[in-house]
């Protein structure tokens, strides 16, 4: 039988599933827990960095505004131009990040290092929005006093901001314009391994961007966030949702927003890399496990295959096994038990062979399996008796060993005919043979059993002819036998005692078969069957009817039939041909002497 799912495959699949399950669950748990921790840490660090940066930016802008205002006030009280120049030079030396200042008092005053950008600054201040703010002289409580900031990086070709603020009393409002180099602030915002901080106004316009090379001035993706924060100014300093990034926002004065971000990809980069490594290690472990499982399974499956082969050998009758246990585990124990079982079966087979020589093989098998017990059962069977004519006189001329040798040769031929037709040799009675068809097993019908019995008798006739030819070649006299067959109900079973029992059949049908065999001598026949047997197979045999016989214990005469042949079988076609073959002459039945002592039968004329 072909194995569809080998044990090794099942083991590999099972252990692979368990390994994948355990490693997968462990990896998922570790990844989930670490991701949660990383998220919390990233948000906390991002918010802390955002807060520090916002404070720094706001302080820088407040200092810049305060310092420039002091300069403007100083210029308002100094009339001498030389002093103003010295005052301006001192101011720019003290505040090198301030690019220029512009006010009513100072006019457009540049840091000497950046005077080359004067034309660009004037052009920028002349654009509509800065120009409108500078020209606006609104005062009062409704006046917009916020400082206005503009990204001037394109003007100065480095990170720079120009802011415009109003100062002075309400009846004399003046505009202060300051240019500030924010390169240091830009570098500050770029600090952090993966964090990025920017400064935007209320219109999401970039004022400080660490990525100076970016030409983008408006962050449209931040505009909804800024608008929402303007509506809820009390909730501005916190983490804010933004797709794919952690975002922290601080709003400083003048509606400026410091926004610090870090991408989720950067936050989870380490755990993703670790997870990837775990997966690779898991695959390596799985591969190694498959190899180890394969090696381990071979240690199991190879002995099992040997056991399977051994069982096939036992099925073929090869009970002596040359197997040696390879291991000391259950498989090794099973192998040892299997070897012992083979030895036991071998001994049982030898016993069965020996036992079968003393009784029928079928009965021996049933007895060995415990199917036979003391007692009997009613069966319809066909009983056969055969006997050698004048055996007593023949044996008197032979030595005991010659008698045994003769009987063994004769019985071997006759019993072979019984076995070939499915019969069971019930017993040997000296030179006589008793056989049964239909017990303990039947061919399927009483007629089939009867036909098998008659067939066996005719085979004996042919076998005896060959046996006699061999004897004639050695100068020995021929052997003549008589066979009697009867069919009917019998009691079949183990008869005897618990210590010794014998399978046999008993009943009136058995007695009649025995008495039928004895009638062959007066009738000069070799195979006689009763009317009971004849009725079962009359369409399949050629017979010659003999005179009726009164059997002791029977009121009516029982018809007897001499078997000539089977219908369609080569050989004799009449009783005379049969008598010619067996070497007998037709008797005068009216002069036959019956056994007056036993009075078993009377011949009717």
């Amino acid at each position: 039988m072909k194995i569809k799912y080998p044990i090794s495959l099942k083991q590999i699949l099972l252990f692979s599933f368990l390994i994948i399950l355990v490693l997968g669950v462990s990896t998922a748990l570790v990844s989930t827990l670490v991701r949660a921790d990383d998220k919390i840490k990233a948000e906390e660090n991002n918010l802390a960095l955002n807060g520090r940066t916002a404070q720094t930016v706001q302080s820088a802008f407040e200092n810049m505004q305060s310092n420039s205002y002091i300069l403007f006030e100083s210029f308002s009280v100094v009339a001498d131009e030389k002093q103003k120049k010295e005052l301006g030079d001192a101011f720019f030396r003290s505040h090198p990040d301030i690019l220029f200042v512009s006010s009513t008092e100072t006019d457009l005053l540049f840091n000497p290092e950046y005077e080359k950008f004067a034309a660009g600054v004037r052009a920028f201040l002349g654009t509509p929005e800065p120009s409108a703010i500078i020209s606006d002289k609104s005062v009062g409580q409704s006046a917009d006093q916020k400082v206005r900031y503009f990204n001037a990086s394109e003007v100065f070709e480095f990170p720079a901001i120009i802011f415009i603020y109003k100062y002075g009393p309400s009846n004399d409002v003046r505009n202060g314009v300051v240019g500030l180099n924010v390169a240091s602030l830009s570098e500050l915002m770029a600090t952090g391994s993966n964090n990025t901080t920017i400064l935007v106004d209320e219109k999401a316009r970039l004022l400080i961007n660490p990525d100076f090379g970016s030409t983008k001035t408006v962050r449209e993706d931040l505009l909804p966030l800024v608008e929402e924060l303007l509506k809820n100014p009390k909730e501005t300093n916190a983490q804010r949702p933004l797709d794919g990034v952690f975002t922290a926002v601080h709003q400083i004065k003048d509606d400026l927003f410091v926004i610090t971000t870090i991408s989720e990809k950067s936050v989870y980069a380490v755990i993703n890399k670790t997870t990837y490594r775990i997966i690779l290690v898991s695959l390596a472990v799985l591969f190694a496990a498959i190899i180890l499982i394969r090696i381990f399974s071979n240690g199991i499956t190879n002995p099992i295959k040997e056991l399977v082969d051994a069982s096939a050998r036992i099925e073929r009758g090869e009970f002596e096994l040359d197997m040696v246990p390879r291991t000391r585990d259950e498989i090794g124990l099973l192998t040892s038990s299997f070897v012992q079982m083979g030895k036991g079966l071998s001994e049982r087979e030898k016993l069965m062979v020996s036992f079968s020589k003393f009784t029928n093989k079928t009965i021996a098998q049933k007895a060995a399996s415990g199917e036979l017990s003391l007692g009997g059962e009613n069966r319809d069977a066909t009983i056969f008796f055969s006997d050698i004519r004048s055996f007593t006189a023949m044996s008197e001329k032979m030595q005991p060993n010659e008698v045994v040798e003769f009987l063994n040769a004769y019985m071997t031929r006759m019993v072979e005919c019984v076995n070939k037709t499915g019969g069971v040799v019930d017993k040997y009675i000296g030179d006589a043979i008793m056989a049964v068809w239909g017990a303990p097993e039947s061919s399927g019908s009483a007629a089939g059993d009867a036909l098998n019995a008659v067939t066996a008798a005719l085979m004996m006739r042919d076998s005896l002819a060959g046996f006699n030819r061999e004897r004639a070649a050695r100068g020995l006299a021929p052997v003549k036998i008589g066979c009697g067959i009867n069919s009917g109900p019998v009691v079949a079973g183990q008869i005897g005692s618990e210590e010794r029992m014998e399978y046999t059949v008993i009943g009136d049908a058995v007695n009649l078969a025995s008495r039928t065999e004895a009638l062959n001598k007066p009738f000069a026949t070799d195979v006689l069957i009763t009317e009971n047997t004849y009725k079962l197979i009359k369409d399949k045999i050629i017979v010659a009817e003999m005179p009726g016989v009164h059997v002791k214990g029977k009121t009516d005469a029982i018809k007897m039939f001499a078997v000539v042949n089977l219908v369609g079988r080569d050989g004799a076609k009449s009783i005379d041909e049969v008598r010619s073959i067996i070497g007998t002459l037709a008797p005068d039945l009216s002069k036959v002497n019956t056994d007056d002592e036993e009075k078993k039968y009377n011949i009717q004329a």
Side-chain angles (χ1 to χ4, degrees):
M1 181 180 67
K2 185 177 180 181
I3 299 175
K4 189 174 182 181
Y5 301 108
I7 293 177
S8 58
L9 177 60
K10 293 179 180 178
Q11 288 180 325
I12 290 174
L13 292 178
L14 175 61
F15 284 101
S16 297
F17 171 76
L18 293 176
I19 291 173
I20 292 173
L21 179 63
V22 171
L23 293 178
V25 171
S26 301
T27 302
L29 288 175
V30 171
S31 177
T32 301
L33 295 176
V34 173
R35 281 175 182 271
D37 291 341
D38 286 351
K39 179 181 178 181
I40 294 173
K41 292 179 180 178
E43 289 179 341
E44 291 176 350
N45 293 337
N46 198 52
L47 185 60
L49 179 62
N50 178 255
R52 291 195 300 270
T53 304
Q55 184 177 3
T56 301
V57 171
Q58 182 165 319
S59 296
F61 288 175
E62 288 177 347
N63 290 336
M64 174 271 303
Q65 184 177 350
S66 175
N67 292 333
S68 62
Y69 177 73
I70 293 173
L71 177 64
F72 298 155
E73 289 297 320
S74 298
F75 264 66
S76 65
V77 297
V78 175
D80 184 65
E81 291 298 326
K82 183 179 179 181
Q83 290 182 339
K84 286 184 178 181
K85 184 177 185 310
E86 291 176 353
L87 187 61
D89 292 340
F91 174 80
F92 286 121
R93 284 194 300 270
S94 300
H95 306 288
D97 289 338
I98 295 180
L99 304 174
F100 71 92
V101 295
S102 176
S103 65
T104 304
E105 295 83 3
T106 63
D107 199 7
L108 187 56
L109 181 63
F110 270 89
N111 186 323
E113 294 184 10
Y114 301 104
E115 288 184 354
K116 59 182 179 180
F117 298 106
V121 170
R122 289 188 178 90
F124 178 82
L125 295 177
T127 56
E129 188 173 0
S131 177
I133 295 173
I134 293 173
S135 61
D136 182 17
K137 301 296 182 178
S138 300
V139 294
Q141 293 182 352
S142 63
D144 186 359
Q145 297 296 319
K146 288 195 304 182
V147 179
R148 300 296 181 178
Y149 297 85
F150 299 93
N151 189 334
S153 298
E154 293 184 359
V155 176
F156 292 97
E157 299 177 358
F158 54 81
I161 290 177
I162 294 176
F163 60 94
I164 304 172
Y165 68 96
K166 298 184 181 298
Y167 66 95
S170 59
N171 59 351
D172 186 16
V173 176
R174 287 166 285 177
N175 294 303
V177 181
V178 181
L180 181 64
N181 184 343
V182 293
S184 58
L185 290 178
S186 180
E187 292 176 0
L188 174 66
M189 291 181 176
T191 57
S193 58
N194 295 300
N195 301 80
T196 299
T197 304
I198 60 175
L199 178 68
V200 299
D201 62 10
E202 73 277 9
K203 295 182 180 179
R205 291 180 296 189
L206 283 169
L207 298 179
I208 300 177
N209 179 17
D211 186 10
F212 176 72
S214 174
T215 59
K216 191 173 184 180
T217 57
V218 178
R219 287 287 298 269
E220 296 179 359
D221 56 324
L222 296 177
L223 187 58
L225 175 61
V226 171
E227 292 176 347
E228 179 185 354
L229 295 175
L230 290 172
K231 295 177 182 177
N232 301 284
K234 294 181 180 180
E235 301 179 5
T236 57
N237 300 334
Q239 293 286 342
R240 290 293 169 181
L242 203 61
D243 291 341
V245 295
F246 298 112
T247 306
V249 180
H250 266 71
Q251 183 177 1
I252 58 179
K253 61 185 302 184
D254 302 319
D255 290 338
L256 297 182
F257 299 92
V258 177
I259 302 175
T260 304
T261 61
I262 183 172
S263 67
E264 292 183 359
K265 183 178 180 180
S266 300
V267 173
Y268 298 139
V270 175
I271 185 60
N272 287 340
K273 189 174 183 179
T274 302
T275 303
Y276 176 72
R277 289 177 177 175
I278 291 175
I279 292 174
L280 291 180
V281 172
S282 300
L283 292 176
V285 170
L286 177 60
F287 180 74
I290 290 175
I291 295 176
L292 292 176
I293 292 169
R294 179 62 179 174
I295 296 173
F296 174 76
S297 63
N298 286 339
I300 297 177
T301 56
N302 289 340
I304 291 177
K305 289 179 181 178
E306 291 182 357
L307 291 175
V308 172
D309 294 338
S311 65
R313 291 167 57 189
I314 288 178
E315 288 181 0
R316 296 193 299 266
E318 302 174 14
F319 302 114
E320 295 294 337
L321 304 175
D322 55 356
M323 299 172 57
V324 178
R326 297 183 179 181
T327 59
R328 294 187 177 182
D329 56 10
E330 291 83 352
I331 299 295
L333 180 61
L334 178 60
T335 302
S336 299
S337 300
F338 215 81
V339 172
Q340 294 300 320
M341 181 187 70
K343 292 180 179 179
L345 290 174
S346 178
E347 294 175 358
R348 181 179 180 275
E349 183 67 16
K350 292 177 182 178
L351 180 62
M352 185 66 66
V353 172
S354 300
F355 188 29
S356 298
K357 292 179 180 180
F358 293 93
T359 184
N360 180 267
K361 185 176 181 179
T362 302
I363 295 175
Q365 291 175 342
K366 287 183 174 292
S369 62
E371 297 182 35
L372 296 179
S373 59
L374 193 63
E377 58 179 343
N378 294 325
R379 301 292 293 265
D380 286 327
T382 295
I383 304 92
F384 167 93
F385 279 90
S386 71
D387 189 30
I388 300 176
R389 296 286 168 257
S390 303
F391 177 72
T392 302
M394 183 186 300
S395 62
E396 289 178 351
K397 300 176 183 180
M398 302 165 61
Q399 295 297 321
N401 63 315
E402 293 176 338
V403 174
V404 173
E405 183 180 350
F406 163 74
L407 287 178
N408 286 342
Y410 165 76
M411 295 292 187
T412 298
R413 285 178 173 269
M414 300 302 106
V415 171
E416 183 179 7
C417 299
V418 175
N419 292 336
K420 285 183 177 180
T421 54
V424 174
V425 175
D426 186 288
K427 61 176 64 70
Y428 302 107
I429 311 169
D431 61 310
I433 299 174
M434 175 183 173
V436 181
W437 282 260
E441 293 182 347
S442 173
S443 63
S445 65
D449 294 332
L451 182 61
N452 287 337
V454 172
T455 301
L458 294 176
M459 291 172 64
M460 289 179 184
R461 177 190 291 170
D462 296 338
S463 181
L464 184 63
F467 184 63
N468 284 331
R469 284 193 295 271
E470 294 176 1
R471 287 179 60 81
R474 291 181 289 162
L476 301 175
V479 177
K480 296 180 181 181
I481 65 172
C483 303
I485 300 173
N486 180 42
S487 302
V490 298
V491 176
Q494 295 286 84
I495 297 175
S497 66
E498 291 291 348
E499 287 75 20
R500 189 184 188 284
M501 56 183 67
E502 183 181 46
Y503 187 87
T504 187
V505 293
I506 59 175
D508 194 47
V510 179
N511 297 332
L512 181 56
S514 176
R515 294 174 184 179
T516 300
E517 180 276 320
L519 294 174
N520 280 286
K521 187 174 182 179
F523 288 153
T525 58
D526 65 340
V527 181
L528 278 177
I529 64 173
T530 64
E531 183 180 4
N532 298 330
T533 303
Y534 174 73
K535 288 180 178 180
L536 292 172
I537 57 174
K538 60 183 178 179
D539 295 333
K540 296 180 173 59
I541 58 176
I542 302 171
V543 298
E545 186 175 351
M546 298 289 105
V549 176
H550 282 95
V551 179
K552 186 177 180 180
K554 300 290 184 181
T555 303
D556 298 329
I558 297 177
K559 293 181 179 181
M560 295 290 170
F561 299 87
V563 178
V564 177
N565 207 342
L566 297 177
V567 174
R569 183 174 180 265
D570 294 337
K573 301 299 181 184
S574 66
I575 189 62
D576 292 333
E577 292 183 45
V578 172
R579 285 176 176 144
S580 175
I581 293 172
I582 65 176
T584 60
L585 298 175
D588 183 357
L589 297 179
S590 63
K591 296 181 179 180
V592 172
N593 292 324
T594 61
D595 189 344
D596 291 334
E597 182 181 352
E598 292 188 1
K599 297 184 185 220
K600 293 182 180 178
Y601 51 83
N602 291 317
I603 307 300
Q604 287 186 341

